[in-house]
Amino acid sequence: MNYANIKYLDTANGIGIRTSLFVSGCKNGCKGCFNAVAWPFDYGKRYDMSVQKEVLESIKKPHVQGLSILGGDPFELENQPDVLRLIEAFREEFKDTKDIWMWTGYLLDKDLAEGGRRYVSGITDKILANINYLVD
């Protein structure tokens, strides 16, 4: 997975001060998208364990309320495995003391539900079970 940007101390993408990860890659192409530059999957920088460590480290600060994941689209099939790894590491580190917001251009009941076009067995369910807020 690539990422387009990371915003530390972000106040625009969820309640409170947050770290926001903008993943690259989106096949939706929504008219009026504010982040169309991040549609190509190869846009930006490679997301790896050192980036994950940086993201999690930034959230340890007491004034940071949580993590926001947006894009591109975190629910693209190509992005879900890395998104899940980040969310699982987040939950291991912070339990329920901090929250996770996610944004997607896909619909929960249509695209992300079992049988939906962005549903991956054993991955999508775990992502959804471990976030606090989904904006679809």
Side-chain angles (χ1 to χ4, degrees):
M1 176 174 82
N2 277 17
Y3 68 97
N5 195 8
I6 300 172
K7 290 186 178 181
Y8 301 101
L9 305 177
D10 187 12
T11 58
N13 295 297
I15 295 173
I17 299 170
R18 323 185 59 72
T19 294
S20 294
L21 173 68
F22 294 77
V23 303
S24 295
C26 184
K27 296 175 183 172
N28 257 338
C30 298
K31 185 177 181 176
C33 176
F34 80 96
N35 203 18
V37 69
W39 289 353
F41 285 86
D42 62 353
Y43 180 79
K45 299 176 183 173
R46 189 81 193 132
Y47 178 87
D48 59 22
M49 294 311 288
S50 67
V51 174
Q52 180 170 299
K53 184 178 178 186
E54 251 180 62
V55 166
L56 294 174
E57 197 62 36
S58 74
I59 299 167
K60 288 181 181 178
K61 297 173 181 158
H63 59 275
V64 177
Q65 185 166 333
L67 172 66
S68 294
I69 307 171
L70 48 166
D73 202 298
F75 281 101
E76 289 297 352
L77 302 176
E78 297 87 340
N79 292 337
Q80 288 190 47
D82 285 324
V83 168
L84 177 58
R85 278 190 282 284
L86 171 58
I87 289 171
E88 288 178 333
F90 178 97
R91 284 293 170 222
E92 186 176 315
E93 179 75 32
F94 302 109
K95 309 292 184 250
D96 290 323
T97 63
K98 299 195 182 236
D99 61 19
I100 299 175
W101 285 63
M102 284 185 68
W103 278 257
T104 181
Y106 296 106
L107 298 174
L108 175 62
D109 60 343
K110 179 181 174 190
D111 303 310
L112 304 178
E114 189 171 351
R117 63 188 178 132
R118 288 298 172 262
Y119 177 82
V120 180
S121 180
I123 296 180
T124 309
D125 305 39
K126 288 180 183 176
I127 291 172
L128 292 170
N130 283 290
I131 63 174
N132 301 91
Y133 303 96
L134 176 69
V135 182
D136 69 344

